[in-house]
Amino acid sequence: MAGRQIELKSGGRTVASGLEWGAPGGSRPALLLVADGHAPAEWAAFAERLSGLHRVIALGWRATGNGLAGARRSVAGGVVLIAHGGACKDAARYAASDAARLAALVLSDCKADDVAGLRVAAPVLVLRGRQSALMSHAEAVALREAFPGSRLIEPEDCGS
């Protein structure tokens, strides 16, 4: 099922738009940043599963940078930030600069070189589907090693 259209506002202006799953005020928010060339709707199955635990807001790659900071300010509470592909770099940079507001950082299908040298105080989870053609197991391990204390999860029957 497709999520509901949402506009995130900060300071009275729209800072990002995307799709939302779950109760708007009910549970901890999870901002899902999808990579360039992908649409938030492509993550509907993942977002629906996650919506039992989180209010999931999927944003396109244009929400990175200043848009990400505005999107973060527009939702209350400690946010779980989930990033995919090229959006990982901006998400990790943001997490390194504003970790006090993040409950966790989840990275999927990104390169360790893109986040090298960044220190993130929030817990970091590296997520890779075992059947992923986008990220090898070795790349996932390298990404996990880029963040001391992070975890790697590789669910079966995931990735393509």
Side-chain angles (χ1 to χ4, degrees), residues 14-86:
T14 300
V15 293
S17 60
L19 298 175
E20 175 183 48
W21 292 261
S27 53
R28 179 183 301 262
L31 292 179
L32 170 59
L33 299 178
V34 299
D36 188 8
H38 294 268
E42 293 177 42
W43 285 78
F46 176 79
E48 281 185 37
R49 284 186 168 188
L50 199 56
S51 69
L53 299 172
H54 298 278
R55 170 189 177 204
V56 180
I57 302 168
L59 305 171
W61 64 274
R62 289 182 183 96
T64 59
N66 292 334
L68 174 56
R72 167 57 202 101
R73 283 190 304 273
S74 72
V75 294
V79 170
V80 174
L81 183 56
I82 305 166
H84 169 254

Side-chain angles (χ1 to χ4, degrees), residues 101-121:
R101 295 184 181 184
L102 291 182
L105 175 64
V106 179
L107 301 173
S108 175
D109 297 332
C110 45
K111 307 272 187 241
D113 289 347
D114 288 344
V115 297
L118 294 175
R119 296 292 167 245
V120 175

